[in-house]
Amino acid sequence: MKSEYHTNQTRSVPHAPCFVSSLRGCVLLLFVVIRWEEERYTDGSKWRFLEHKGPVFAPPYEPLPDKVKFYYDGKPMKLNPPAEEVATFFAKMLDHEYTTKDIFRKNFFKDWRKEMTSEEKSKITDLNKCNFSEMSEYFKAQSEARKQMSKEEKLKIKEENERILQEYGFCIMDNHKERIGNFRIEPPGLFRGRGDHPKMGMLKRRIRPEDIIINCSKDSKQPKPPPGTKWKEVRHDNKVTWLVSWTENIQGSIKYIMLNPSSRIKGEKDWQKYETARRLKKCVDRIRNQYREDWKSKEMRIRQRAVALYFIDKLALRAGNEKEEGETADTVGCCSLRVEHIKLYPKMDDQEYVVEFDFLGKDSIRYYNKIPVEKRVFKNLQLFLENKQPEDDLFDRLNTSILNKHLQELMDGLTAKVFRTYNASITLQQQLKELSCSDDSIPAKVLSYNRANRAVAILCNHQRAPPKTFEKSMQNLQTKIDEKQNQLSAARKQLKAAKADHKASHDDKTVQRIEEQLMKLQVQATDREENKQIALGTSKLNYLDPRISVAWCKKWGVPIEKIYNKTQREKFAWAIDMAEKDYEF
DNA sequence: GGCTGGACTTGGCACCACGGCC
DNA sequence: GGCCGTGGTGCCAAGTCCAGCC
């Protein structure tokens, strides 16, 4: 069996017919087509053979040493292991703001009490009387000790991790050895949602083998549960891509272990996504004309649909599914916008028909934007707002399902999120065309690339909190620039003097080298400053057709390593193989 | 047509290994 | 050789979308 496997490293065979363009030999070409035909199942199945070793469980709880005490109402109290474990979760977060929040404390205390013995329960009735500080100190000391470990000890841990990775981190799917994404089961702890989450502080319970569903092929060697335990179920469902699943107890949703982005199955899906977006490019004008027409429709539902689609297209808003109230943080997308999230200004400064958006989107990231819109859109919005309360839906005749059904009719495979992919990728391509300059040095070209990437991140509202070390690191960089400038003027002086004396010419090069170094630093500073509150990663990883970047690198002679790190190159191996310098999205 | 569960993608952030610098 | 800053990575939450059910 083993000799048939291709590892990621040795595999040079692309996953899709388009890869053919980058291949030279006919024999190889034939092989690609056959292999592709073989693996692209028409019956909806995702694989024929799947073998893996199952998940790695979180290490069991180790009770605290007796000297580390928990105090209730000033008196030491030894907790039983289950209650003690949950207490340690809280103690570990003591420095975090979370533990001061009412909801967090309330949820935690309620779930903690469930783990107590009846005796503990009757004693511990008020979280405010609990003192976790000794526990907290103990964990801080432990993490400090970990940092102070000797090289040998650190190496040993590293080797052990590597061993686990080798054993559990790979699977075999249809003749390929593939890297698994997240083969470790999430450890128990306190749930921390994002934003104002009503469930923050609840206990995320420990996952046991009895909770685990294994998915593998019948003819594979099945993973063994830890001694003395059983899996919940072993199934052989090749219509799905996951290897392991379990149900988490906070939302009752299912969690999965799936393959790494570098895997064939993920790469193919990614490629498909961008192909759908490219198909949208071909018919986007038609669709835009259509929704503009629909702004005039007699039917309210059609007008709403058309205005919502306009926002999704123009502003790259997310679809906005309905959410169960009280289960999650109150966030919205386009279809779930409420009256309170927009304000209309017939005139603002020198612009007409301005809409102001202010709402919390995915991950409770604020979306704030003021944009002028067409008069028709504006009038429609006024109509939608009539006789409504702030908490009413802006688009009361619309939801994502209605919208996506409509989109499906306009183009096969079209959904709301395709617009985000399309607009992100087309923006990158346009920006790169505008910003790139052949006279630029490599660092300047990379800055242009980052700026194009940044334009997309801004469009998609990918924000981040400024890094905690931002100010300091900017200062450090500025110091370096100042030093370099001094160095440069010194070198220039020297050169001038040398020239006057008709001395050696190699000093010329020294000046040049310093100039380059200085320019590099200045570019770095600009890039970092502009990037203060913008996160580039998400768009780079999920929205930008990597073939645009690969082609750009080839066209402008920028090494791909300057744009994609190793992991990203692995994820985008298909694109690196495929795209030539003239690739057009 | 609404509801729900399931599968899969997208998202920000904390943490830590690693490389550069003194 | 130790310190410091940072990029990369893992973590895991939170979206999207679809199928199947009634």
Side-chain angles (χ1 to χ4, degrees):
Chain A
M1 181 60 104
K2 197 154 197 178
S3 61
E4 289 172 39
Y5 305 154
H6 304 234
T7 66
N8 280 332
Q9 285 68 38
T10 58
R11 192 183 66 210
S12 60
V13 186
H15 319 313
C18 280
F19 285 118
V20 167
S21 64
S22 70
L23 294 172
R24 286 135 197 91
C26 286
V27 178
L28 195 52
L29 190 144
L30 189 66
F31 177 56
V32 170
V33 173
I34 290 171
R35 206 184 80 87
W36 170 246
E37 291 303 322
E38 262 177 10
E39 296 201 351
R40 192 190 184 196
Y41 306 116
T42 48
D43 59 350
S45 56
K46 306 286 171 68
W47 45 263
R48 290 279 133 90
F49 183 81
L50 175 61
E51 183 169 287
H52 59 93
K53 296 276 282 199
V56 173
F57 288 94
Y61 177 62
E62 278 181 42
L64 293 170
D66 284 338
K67 63 175 195 325
V68 182
K69 296 210 162 56
F70 162 76
Y71 298 89
Y72 187 74
D73 208 5
K75 294 182 200 76
M77 186 174 168
K78 182 74 188 168
L79 299 169
N80 286 294
E84 187 187 85
E85 181 179 13
V86 178
T88 64
F89 298 153
F90 194 84
K92 282 178 186 165
M93 298 175 77
L94 220 49
D95 287 339
H96 202 286
E97 203 207 334
Y98 274 112
T99 56
T100 63
K101 292 191 176 175
D102 259 6
I103 305 178
F104 190 96
R105 294 174 70 85
K106 209 177 117 240
N107 286 334
F108 161 73
F109 196 56
K110 190 175 163 204
D111 279 2
W112 185 28
R113 281 176 60 79
K114 290 181 200 156
E115 303 300 315
M116 294 177 188
T117 62
S118 51
E119 196 186 338
E120 286 165 342
K121 224 184 263 183
S122 65
K123 264 193 186 164
I124 303 171
T125 54
D126 183 358
L127 182 56
N128 293 318
K129 291 181 180 168
C130 296
N131 180 348
F132 302 93
S133 55
E134 243 180 56
M135 294 161 91
S136 170
E137 291 306 318
Y138 172 71
F139 292 122
K140 273 185 216 158
Q142 268 201 330
S143 98
E144 200 47 44
R146 231 173 299 131
K147 276 184 210 150
Q148 299 300 325
M149 275 186 312
S150 69
K151 254 193 181 148
E152 292 73 32
E153 288 171 302
K154 281 185 181 166
L155 186 67
K156 223 176 134 187
I157 293 173
K158 205 178 154 189
E159 282 169 354
E160 174 61 8
N161 279 334
E162 181 59 27
R163 192 190 64 74
I164 294 173
L165 173 68
Q166 289 307 323
E167 183 170 358
Y168 293 94
F170 295 86
C171 75
I172 291 148
M173 186 178 272
D174 288 354
N175 295 333
H176 296 280
K177 184 174 173 185
E178 302 272 28
R179 182 84 191 269
I180 297 170
N182 54 326
F183 54 89
R184 286 174 196 276
I185 299 274
E186 295 168 20
L190 302 183
F191 175 81
R192 319 134 82 132
R194 313 225 169 104
D196 253 336
H197 199 114
K199 298 194 171 185
M200 63 167 83
M202 281 174 63
L203 174 63
K204 209 170 76 162
R205 56 161 244 283
R206 180 177 290 273
I207 305 301
R208 308 151 304 153
E210 291 76 11
D211 302 313
I212 295 290
I213 302 174
I214 297 286
N215 194 28
C216 61
S217 60
K218 268 186 193 156
D219 56 348
S220 74
K221 218 164 110 196
Q222 281 185 16
K224 284 194 188 65
T229 66
K230 274 189 192 156
W231 302 125
K232 179 179 181 183
E233 185 192 332
V234 176
R235 66 172 77 155
H236 312 290
D237 181 359
N238 75 348
K239 298 282 194 287
V240 298
T241 67
W242 55 265
L243 320 184
V244 174
S245 78
W246 70 93
T247 303
E248 54 91 31
N249 65 301
I250 304 287
Q251 320 276 359
S253 63
I254 308 171
K255 298 238 175 178
Y256 304 93
I257 291 181
M258 290 184 189
L259 295 194
N260 186 277
S262 64
S263 61
R264 193 213 84 217
I265 208 159
K266 295 281 186 193
E268 261 174 34
K269 202 71 192 298
D270 212 30
W271 172 68
Q272 242 179 49
K273 175 179 78 184
Y274 293 112
E275 287 307 297
T276 306
R278 289 175 89 194
R279 282 195 288 120
L280 173 58
K281 185 190 176 189
K282 286 187 193 143
C283 60
V284 74
D285 288 337
R286 191 192 86 221
I287 291 172
R288 284 172 177 162
N289 288 335
Q290 161 91 268
Y291 68 61
R292 298 172 72 90
E293 276 302 306
D294 287 347
W295 292 342
K296 300 182 249 175
S297 170
K298 277 182 286 184
E299 286 186 76
M300 181 66 117
R301 59 174 191 98
I302 290 176
R303 288 181 181 224
Q304 290 196 357
R305 195 180 70 191
V307 171
L309 184 51
Y310 167 73
F311 286 158
I312 284 171
D313 183 21
K314 189 179 171 74
L315 304 174
L317 300 190
R318 294 186 188 82
N321 284 311
E322 296 106 296
K323 301 167 73 181
E324 222 175 313
E325 220 176 309
E327 291 293 299
T328 58
D330 178 21
T331 62
V332 296
C334 186
C335 294
S336 52
L337 279 169
R338 298 192 297 262
V339 170
E340 60 196 312
H341 295 132
I342 65 162
K343 275 195 191 126
L344 302 181
Y345 300 95
K347 264 214 162 93
M348 177 183 265
D349 305 328
D350 52 345
Q351 290 176 318
E352 283 190 312
Y353 310 121
V354 174
V355 186
E356 182 186 58
F357 292 83
D358 193 352
F359 62 88
L360 295 183
K362 182 177 177 180
D363 292 322
S364 293
I365 298 288
R366 184 177 178 205
Y367 183 93
Y368 181 80
N369 203 358
K370 274 186 280 197
I371 55 144
V373 298
E374 269 91 332
K375 184 177 176 184
R376 275 227 160 74
V377 172
F378 197 84
K379 295 287 168 197
N380 270 315
L381 287 169
Q382 285 178 322
L383 184 69
F384 304 160
L385 292 177
E386 266 173 28
N387 302 317
K388 281 189 191 167
Q389 299 300 308
E391 62 278 11
D392 290 342
D393 286 337
L394 174 63
F395 302 115
D396 53 300
R397 310 278 174 91
L398 184 71
N399 60 38
T400 54
S401 157
I402 295 170
L403 179 66
N404 280 335
K405 245 174 224 152
H406 173 63
L407 292 176
Q408 180 59 41
E409 283 163 14
L410 295 177
M411 184 194 105
D412 181 41
L414 186 61
T415 62
K417 88 186 181 88
V418 179
F419 281 89
R420 244 166 112 78
T421 312
Y422 162 71
N423 279 309
S425 287
I426 202 78
T427 302
L428 178 77
Q429 184 165 282
Q430 281 162 354
Q431 287 288 306
L432 285 177
K433 261 184 202 154
E434 250 171 64
L435 299 172
S436 303
C437 178
S438 53
D439 295 341
D440 278 349
S441 63
I442 301 260
K445 282 176 183 157
V446 173
L447 175 64
S448 296
Y449 180 89
N450 287 343
R451 283 183 162 157
N453 192 165
R454 203 134 50 224
V456 175
I458 290 167
L459 174 72
C460 293
N461 200 41
H462 291 143
Q463 297 189 43
R464 62 166 182 177
K468 288 186 182 90
T469 54
F470 185 82
E471 293 306 330
K472 201 170 73 182
S473 93
M474 279 313 282
Q475 264 172 22
N476 287 349
L477 200 50
Q478 193 53 50
T479 314
K480 271 193 199 169
I481 290 173
D482 294 345
E483 281 167 3
K484 201 49 85 181
Q485 246 151 3
N486 292 337
Q487 203 185 338
L488 181 62
S489 43
R492 275 181 181 151
K493 244 181 230 165
Q494 229 175 19
L495 177 64
K496 210 172 162 188
K499 271 188 180 160
D501 287 0
H502 306 288
K503 273 191 192 157
S505 64
H506 76 268
D507 268 337
D508 214 3
K509 276 185 192 148
T510 312
V511 170
Q512 232 176 41
R513 189 170 46 86
I514 298 171
E515 275 173 346
E516 263 168 42
Q517 288 169 340
L518 176 63
M519 187 267 302
K520 227 171 153 174
L521 286 171
Q522 282 167 331
V523 163
Q524 206 185 342
T526 311
D527 204 12
R528 195 176 296 176
E529 185 64 50
E530 289 179 2
N531 222 33
K532 185 175 179 181
Q533 305 200 61
I534 312 287
L536 299 185
T538 300
S539 50
K540 202 173 188 176
L541 247 37
N542 299 300
Y543 290 106
L544 301 177
D545 182 346
R547 290 168 295 183
I548 299 170
S549 304
V550 173
W552 180 84
C553 282
K554 285 190 176 162
K555 182 169 176 193
W556 300 97
V558 176
I560 192 80
E561 294 79 17
K562 301 273 179 196
I563 300 299
Y564 290 140
N565 66 32
K566 186 163 163 282
T567 313
Q568 292 164 341
R569 290 199 300 278
E570 279 166 12
K571 169 171 167 137
F572 296 135
W574 59 272
I576 293 171
D577 248 356
M578 202 164 163
E580 295 300 339
K581 70 175 193 302
D582 54 353
Y583 174 78
E584 276 273 330
F585 173 75

